[in-house]
PDB file of all heavy atoms in Angstrom:
ATOM      1  N   VAL P  32     -20.975   2.876  14.737  1.00 91.00           N
ATOM      2  CA  VAL P  32     -19.881   1.911  14.381  1.00 91.00           C
ATOM      3  C   VAL P  32     -19.843   1.770  12.853  1.00 91.00           C
ATOM      4  O   VAL P  32     -18.850   2.022  12.159  1.00 91.00           O
ATOM      5  CB  VAL P  32     -19.958   0.555  15.078  1.00 91.00           C
ATOM      6  CG1 VAL P  32     -18.889  -0.331  14.730  1.00 91.00           C
ATOM      7  CG2 VAL P  32     -19.898   0.921  16.569  1.00 91.00           C
ATOM      8  N   TRP P  33     -20.873   1.164  12.277  1.00 93.00           N
ATOM      9  CA  TRP P  33     -20.983   0.765  10.906  1.00 93.00           C
ATOM     10  C   TRP P  33     -20.681   1.834   9.870  1.00 93.00           C
ATOM     11  O   TRP P  33     -19.834   1.831   9.110  1.00 93.00           O
ATOM     12  CB  TRP P  33     -22.244   0.117  10.608  1.00 93.00           C
ATOM     13  CG  TRP P  33     -22.261  -0.534   9.273  1.00 93.00           C
ATOM     14  CD1 TRP P  33     -22.839  -0.045   8.169  1.00 93.00           C
ATOM     15  CD2 TRP P  33     -21.486  -1.695   8.766  1.00 93.00           C
ATOM     16  NE1 TRP P  33     -22.654  -0.875   7.077  1.00 93.00           N
ATOM     17  CE2 TRP P  33     -21.777  -1.789   7.413  1.00 93.00           C
ATOM     18  CE3 TRP P  33     -20.651  -2.553   9.432  1.00 93.00           C
ATOM     19  CZ2 TRP P  33     -21.425  -2.967   6.692  1.00 93.00           C
ATOM     20  CZ3 TRP P  33     -20.151  -3.616   8.616  1.00 93.00           C
ATOM     21  CH2 TRP P  33     -20.479  -3.767   7.199  1.00 93.00           C
ATOM     22  N   GLN P  34     -21.493   2.989  10.112  1.00 94.00           N
ATOM     23  CA  GLN P  34     -21.286   4.248   9.174  1.00 94.00           C
ATOM     24  C   GLN P  34     -20.000   4.792   9.278  1.00 94.00           C
ATOM     25  O   GLN P  34     -19.318   4.939   8.104  1.00 94.00           O
ATOM     26  CB  GLN P  34     -22.409   5.031   9.408  1.00 94.00           C
ATOM     27  CG  GLN P  34     -23.770   4.755   9.085  1.00 94.00           C
ATOM     28  CD  GLN P  34     -24.015   4.687   7.537  1.00 94.00           C
ATOM     29  OE1 GLN P  34     -23.276   5.257   6.735  1.00 94.00           O
ATOM     30  NE2 GLN P  34     -24.889   3.897   7.132  1.00 94.00           N
ATOM     31  N   PRO P  35     -19.347   5.043  10.372  1.00 93.00           N
ATOM     32  CA  PRO P  35     -18.012   5.534  10.271  1.00 93.00           C
ATOM     33  C   PRO P  35     -16.992   4.641   9.765  1.00 93.00           C
ATOM     34  O   PRO P  35     -16.057   5.021   9.022  1.00 93.00           O
ATOM     35  CB  PRO P  35     -17.686   5.885  11.884  1.00 93.00           C
ATOM     36  CG  PRO P  35     -18.942   6.014  12.410  1.00 93.00           C
ATOM     37  CD  PRO P  35     -20.039   5.064  11.640  1.00 93.00           C
ATOM     38  N   VAL P  36     -17.129   3.393  10.061  1.00 93.00           N
ATOM     39  CA  VAL P  36     -16.074   2.355   9.415  1.00 93.00           C
ATOM     40  C   VAL P  36     -16.219   2.382   7.905  1.00 93.00           C
ATOM     41  O   VAL P  36     -15.196   2.389   7.286  1.00 93.00           O
ATOM     42  CB  VAL P  36     -16.287   1.014  10.165  1.00 93.00           C
ATOM     43  CG1 VAL P  36     -15.517  -0.135   9.352  1.00 93.00           C
ATOM     44  CG2 VAL P  36     -16.031   1.045  11.551  1.00 93.00           C
ATOM     45  N   THR P  37     -17.459   2.317   7.307  1.00 94.00           N
ATOM     46  CA  THR P  37     -17.558   2.285   5.949  1.00 94.00           C
ATOM     47  C   THR P  37     -17.163   3.662   5.365  1.00 94.00           C
ATOM     48  O   THR P  37     -16.464   3.675   4.256  1.00 94.00           O
ATOM     49  CB  THR P  37     -18.908   1.998   5.544  1.00 94.00           C
ATOM     50  OG1 THR P  37     -19.929   2.931   6.037  1.00 94.00           O
ATOM     51  CG2 THR P  37     -19.446   0.540   5.919  1.00 94.00           C
ATOM     52  N   HIS P  38     -17.375   4.698   5.977  1.00 95.00           N
ATOM     53  CA  HIS P  38     -16.810   6.034   5.503  1.00 95.00           C
ATOM     54  C   HIS P  38     -15.254   6.099   5.514  1.00 95.00           C
ATOM     55  O   HIS P  38     -14.679   6.377   4.327  1.00 95.00           O
ATOM     56  CB  HIS P  38     -17.441   7.161   6.334  1.00 95.00           C
ATOM     57  CG  HIS P  38     -16.839   8.518   5.988  1.00 95.00           C
ATOM     58  ND1 HIS P  38     -17.127   9.205   4.944  1.00 95.00           N
ATOM     59  CD2 HIS P  38     -15.842   9.181   6.760  1.00 95.00           C
ATOM     60  CE1 HIS P  38     -16.345  10.336   4.860  1.00 95.00           C
ATOM     61  NE2 HIS P  38     -15.614  10.361   5.906  1.00 95.00           N
ATOM     62  N   PHE P  39     -14.771   5.604   6.418  1.00 95.00           N
ATOM     63  CA  PHE P  39     -13.367   5.521   6.528  1.00 95.00           C
ATOM     64  C   PHE P  39     -12.642   4.640   5.527  1.00 95.00           C
ATOM     65  O   PHE P  39     -11.655   4.858   4.887  1.00 95.00           O
ATOM     66  CB  PHE P  39     -12.679   5.345   7.907  1.00 95.00           C
ATOM     67  CG  PHE P  39     -12.914   6.368   8.838  1.00 95.00           C
ATOM     68  CD1 PHE P  39     -13.614   6.130  10.154  1.00 95.00           C
ATOM     69  CD2 PHE P  39     -12.601   7.632   8.710  1.00 95.00           C
ATOM     70  CE1 PHE P  39     -13.823   7.237  11.141  1.00 95.00           C
ATOM     71  CE2 PHE P  39     -12.744   8.630   9.551  1.00 95.00           C
ATOM     72  CZ  PHE P  39     -13.368   8.490  10.781  1.00 95.00           C
ATOM     73  N   HIS P  40     -13.405   3.579   5.353  1.00 95.00           N
ATOM     74  CA  HIS P  40     -12.977   2.497   4.296  1.00 95.00           C
ATOM     75  C   HIS P  40     -13.082   3.095   2.919  1.00 95.00           C
ATOM     76  O   HIS P  40     -12.110   2.940   2.086  1.00 95.00           O
ATOM     77  CB  HIS P  40     -13.890   1.256   4.415  1.00 95.00           C
ATOM     78  CG  HIS P  40     -13.531   0.242   3.400  1.00 95.00           C
ATOM     79  ND1 HIS P  40     -12.360  -0.531   3.501  1.00 95.00           N
ATOM     80  CD2 HIS P  40     -14.161  -0.290   2.262  1.00 95.00           C
ATOM     81  CE1 HIS P  40     -12.292  -1.266   2.407  1.00 95.00           C
ATOM     82  NE2 HIS P  40     -13.317  -1.064   1.703  1.00 95.00           N
ATOM     83  N   ARG P  41     -14.114   3.768   2.559  1.00 95.00           N
ATOM     84  CA  ARG P  41     -14.322   4.334   1.192  1.00 95.00           C
ATOM     85  C   ARG P  41     -13.179   5.456   0.939  1.00 95.00           C
ATOM     86  O   ARG P  41     -12.510   5.504  -0.083  1.00 95.00           O
ATOM     87  CB  ARG P  41     -15.616   5.031   1.007  1.00 95.00           C
ATOM     88  CG  ARG P  41     -16.757   3.903   0.841  1.00 95.00           C
ATOM     89  CD  ARG P  41     -18.055   4.581   0.496  1.00 95.00           C
ATOM     90  NE  ARG P  41     -19.127   3.630   0.628  1.00 95.00           N
ATOM     91  CZ  ARG P  41     -20.194   3.596   1.470  1.00 95.00           C
ATOM     92  NH1 ARG P  41     -20.205   4.714   2.155  1.00 95.00           N
ATOM     93  NH2 ARG P  41     -20.921   2.766   1.376  1.00 95.00           N
ATOM     94  N   ALA P  42     -12.941   6.134   2.006  1.00 95.00           N
ATOM     95  CA  ALA P  42     -11.973   7.362   1.855  1.00 95.00           C
ATOM     96  C   ALA P  42     -10.427   6.705   1.752  1.00 95.00           C
ATOM     97  O   ALA P  42      -9.746   7.216   0.928  1.00 95.00           O
ATOM     98  CB  ALA P  42     -11.914   8.264   3.252  1.00 95.00           C
ATOM     99  N   ALA P  43     -10.260   5.759   2.440  1.00 95.00           N
ATOM    100  CA  ALA P  43      -8.888   5.066   2.339  1.00 95.00           C
ATOM    101  C   ALA P  43      -8.779   4.415   0.990  1.00 95.00           C
ATOM    102  O   ALA P  43      -7.679   4.540   0.455  1.00 95.00           O
ATOM    103  CB  ALA P  43      -8.839   3.873   3.446  1.00 95.00           C
ATOM    104  N   ALA P  44      -9.819   3.803   0.509  1.00 95.00           N
ATOM    105  CA  ALA P  44      -9.782   3.202  -0.893  1.00 95.00           C
ATOM    106  C   ALA P  44      -9.519   4.329  -1.944  1.00 95.00           C
ATOM    107  O   ALA P  44      -8.902   4.192  -2.932  1.00 95.00           O
ATOM    108  CB  ALA P  44     -11.068   2.458  -1.202  1.00 95.00           C
ATOM    109  N   SER P  45     -10.250   5.455  -1.707  1.00 95.00           N
ATOM    110  CA  SER P  45     -10.072   6.603  -2.612  1.00 95.00           C
ATOM    111  C   SER P  45      -8.605   7.100  -2.584  1.00 95.00           C
ATOM    112  O   SER P  45      -8.021   7.332  -3.682  1.00 95.00           O
ATOM    113  CB  SER P  45     -11.052   7.607  -2.378  1.00 95.00           C
ATOM    114  OG  SER P  45     -10.784   8.798  -3.094  1.00 95.00           O
ATOM    115  N   ARG P  46      -8.046   7.244  -1.403  1.00 95.00           N
ATOM    116  CA  ARG P  46      -6.693   7.723  -1.244  1.00 95.00           C
ATOM    117  C   ARG P  46      -5.701   6.648  -1.931  1.00 95.00           C
ATOM    118  O   ARG P  46      -4.671   7.050  -2.490  1.00 95.00           O
ATOM    119  CB  ARG P  46      -6.328   7.912   0.136  1.00 95.00           C
ATOM    120  CG  ARG P  46      -6.989   9.210   0.822  1.00 95.00           C
ATOM    121  CD  ARG P  46      -6.464   9.612   2.099  1.00 95.00           C
ATOM    122  NE  ARG P  46      -6.485   8.517   2.948  1.00 95.00           N
ATOM    123  CZ  ARG P  46      -7.344   8.160   3.965  1.00 95.00           C
ATOM    124  NH1 ARG P  46      -8.539   9.020   3.853  1.00 95.00           N
ATOM    125  NH2 ARG P  46      -7.277   7.239   4.759  1.00 95.00           N
ATOM    126  N   HIS P  47      -5.930   5.412  -1.774  1.00 96.00           N
ATOM    127  CA  HIS P  47      -5.153   4.340  -2.252  1.00 96.00           C
ATOM    128  C   HIS P  47      -5.193   4.461  -3.762  1.00 96.00           C
ATOM    129  O   HIS P  47      -4.073   4.433  -4.416  1.00 96.00           O
ATOM    130  CB  HIS P  47      -5.650   3.022  -1.741  1.00 96.00           C
ATOM    131  CG  HIS P  47      -4.806   1.870  -2.306  1.00 96.00           C
ATOM    132  ND1 HIS P  47      -3.668   1.596  -2.000  1.00 96.00           N
ATOM    133  CD2 HIS P  47      -5.132   0.925  -3.172  1.00 96.00           C
ATOM    134  CE1 HIS P  47      -3.208   0.462  -2.569  1.00 96.00           C
ATOM    135  NE2 HIS P  47      -4.040   0.169  -3.447  1.00 96.00           N
ATOM    136  N   GLN P  48      -6.311   4.492  -4.442  1.00 95.00           N
ATOM    137  CA  GLN P  48      -6.436   4.719  -5.848  1.00 95.00           C
ATOM    138  C   GLN P  48      -5.733   5.863  -6.393  1.00 95.00           C
ATOM    139  O   GLN P  48      -4.973   5.766  -7.390  1.00 95.00           O
ATOM    140  CB  GLN P  48      -7.942   4.693  -6.229  1.00 95.00           C
ATOM    141  CG  GLN P  48      -8.114   4.767  -7.769  1.00 95.00           C
ATOM    142  CD  GLN P  48      -7.578   3.497  -8.402  1.00 95.00           C
ATOM    143  OE1 GLN P  48      -7.649   2.304  -7.896  1.00 95.00           O
ATOM    144  NE2 GLN P  48      -7.064   3.576  -9.571  1.00 95.00           N
ATOM    145  N   GLN P  49      -5.815   7.016  -5.774  1.00 95.00           N
ATOM    146  CA  GLN P  49      -5.025   8.193  -6.050  1.00 95.00           C
ATOM    147  C   GLN P  49      -3.540   7.994  -5.954  1.00 95.00           C
ATOM    148  O   GLN P  49      -2.797   8.385  -6.908  1.00 95.00           O
ATOM    149  CB  GLN P  49      -5.424   9.442  -5.253  1.00 95.00           C
ATOM    150  CG  GLN P  49      -4.802  10.798  -5.578  1.00 95.00           C
ATOM    151  CD  GLN P  49      -5.240  11.797  -4.655  1.00 95.00           C
ATOM    152  OE1 GLN P  49      -5.924  11.675  -3.734  1.00 95.00           O
ATOM    153  NE2 GLN P  49      -4.680  13.129  -4.918  1.00 95.00           N
ATOM    154  N   ALA P  50      -3.126   7.398  -4.938  1.00 94.00           N
ATOM    155  CA  ALA P  50      -1.700   7.062  -4.756  1.00 94.00           C
ATOM    156  C   ALA P  50      -1.131   6.085  -5.898  1.00 94.00           C
ATOM    157  O   ALA P  50      -0.049   6.248  -6.404  1.00 94.00           O
ATOM    158  CB  ALA P  50      -1.369   6.507  -3.490  1.00 94.00           C
ATOM    159  N   LEU P  51      -1.942   5.190  -6.387  1.00 95.00           N
ATOM    160  CA  LEU P  51      -1.605   4.277  -7.411  1.00 95.00           C
ATOM    161  C   LEU P  51      -1.460   5.086  -8.702  1.00 95.00           C
ATOM    162  O   LEU P  51      -0.604   4.855  -9.481  1.00 95.00           O
ATOM    163  CB  LEU P  51      -2.654   3.015  -7.604  1.00 95.00           C
ATOM    164  CG  LEU P  51      -2.575   2.043  -6.526  1.00 95.00           C
ATOM    165  CD1 LEU P  51      -3.736   1.044  -6.677  1.00 95.00           C
ATOM    166  CD2 LEU P  51      -1.331   1.286  -6.495  1.00 95.00           C
ATOM    167  N   GLU P  52      -2.424   5.933  -8.980  1.00 95.00           N
ATOM    168  CA  GLU P  52      -2.407   6.852 -10.175  1.00 95.00           C
ATOM    169  C   GLU P  52      -1.119   7.673 -10.157  1.00 95.00           C
ATOM    170  O   GLU P  52      -0.408   7.819 -11.193  1.00 95.00           O
ATOM    171  CB  GLU P  52      -3.589   7.682 -10.295  1.00 95.00           C
ATOM    172  CG  GLU P  52      -4.883   6.839 -10.631  1.00 95.00           C
ATOM    173  CD  GLU P  52      -6.117   7.648 -10.490  1.00 95.00           C
ATOM    174  OE1 GLU P  52      -6.085   8.709 -10.253  1.00 95.00           O
ATOM    175  OE2 GLU P  52      -7.235   7.080 -10.591  1.00 95.00           O
ATOM    176  N   GLU P  53      -0.738   8.304  -9.007  1.00 94.00           N
ATOM    177  CA  GLU P  53       0.338   9.281  -8.821  1.00 94.00           C
ATOM    178  C   GLU P  53       1.546   8.300  -9.022  1.00 94.00           C
ATOM    179  O   GLU P  53       2.624   8.684  -9.700  1.00 94.00           O
ATOM    180  CB  GLU P  53       0.462   9.741  -7.574  1.00 94.00           C
ATOM    181  CG  GLU P  53      -0.609  10.958  -7.408  1.00 94.00           C
ATOM    182  CD  GLU P  53      -0.698  11.519  -6.065  1.00 94.00           C
ATOM    183  OE1 GLU P  53       0.163  11.129  -5.229  1.00 94.00           O
ATOM    184  OE2 GLU P  53      -1.432  12.439  -5.832  1.00 94.00           O
ATOM    185  N   LYS P  54       1.641   7.005  -8.544  1.00 95.00           N
ATOM    186  CA  LYS P  54       2.837   6.099  -8.872  1.00 95.00           C
ATOM    187  C   LYS P  54       2.978   5.837 -10.222  1.00 95.00           C
ATOM    188  O   LYS P  54       4.076   5.919 -10.789  1.00 95.00           O
ATOM    189  CB  LYS P  54       2.530   4.885  -7.981  1.00 95.00           C
ATOM    190  CG  LYS P  54       3.617   3.847  -8.198  1.00 95.00           C
ATOM    191  CD  LYS P  54       3.305   2.497  -7.596  1.00 95.00           C
ATOM    192  CE  LYS P  54       4.338   1.407  -8.004  1.00 95.00           C
ATOM    193  NZ  LYS P  54       3.849   0.086  -7.635  1.00 95.00           N
ATOM    194  N   GLU P  55       1.988   5.594 -10.948  1.00 95.00           N
ATOM    195  CA  GLU P  55       1.978   5.343 -12.483  1.00 95.00           C
ATOM    196  C   GLU P  55       2.622   6.639 -13.203  1.00 95.00           C
ATOM    197  O   GLU P  55       3.482   6.474 -14.123  1.00 95.00           O
ATOM    198  CB  GLU P  55       0.740   4.941 -13.046  1.00 95.00           C
ATOM    199  CG  GLU P  55       0.114   3.549 -12.507  1.00 95.00           C
ATOM    200  CD  GLU P  55       1.190   2.457 -12.912  1.00 95.00           C
ATOM    201  OE1 GLU P  55       1.697   2.427 -14.103  1.00 95.00           O
ATOM    202  OE2 GLU P  55       1.373   1.592 -12.118  1.00 95.00           O
ATOM    203  N   THR P  56       2.223   7.708 -12.800  1.00 94.00           N
ATOM    204  CA  THR P  56       2.539   8.972 -13.403  1.00 94.00           C
ATOM    205  C   THR P  56       4.132   9.206 -13.151  1.00 94.00           C
ATOM    206  O   THR P  56       4.977   9.389 -14.050  1.00 94.00           O
ATOM    207  CB  THR P  56       1.947  10.193 -12.730  1.00 94.00           C
ATOM    208  OG1 THR P  56       0.497  10.038 -13.128  1.00 94.00           O
ATOM    209  CG2 THR P  56       2.433  11.422 -13.472  1.00 94.00           C
ATOM    210  N   VAL P  57       4.665   8.890 -11.836  1.00 94.00           N
ATOM    211  CA  VAL P  57       6.017   8.899 -11.632  1.00 94.00           C
ATOM    212  C   VAL P  57       6.793   7.880 -12.272  1.00 94.00           C
ATOM    213  O   VAL P  57       7.912   8.290 -12.807  1.00 94.00           O
ATOM    214  CB  VAL P  57       6.290   8.743 -10.039  1.00 94.00           C
ATOM    215  CG1 VAL P  57       7.779   8.669  -9.636  1.00 94.00           C
ATOM    216  CG2 VAL P  57       5.674  10.044  -9.294  1.00 94.00           C
TER     217      VAL P  57
END
Side-chain angles (χ1 to χ4, degrees):
V32 176
W33 184 258
Q34 287 293 335
V36 167
T37 56
H38 170 74
F39 290 130
H40 176 70
R41 286 186 191 124
S45 173
R46 288 191 309 270
H47 177 72
Q48 184 62 35
Q49 182 181 3
L51 289 175
E52 291 169 5
E53 288 175 2
K54 176 186 170 189
E55 290 301 318
T56 302
V57 168

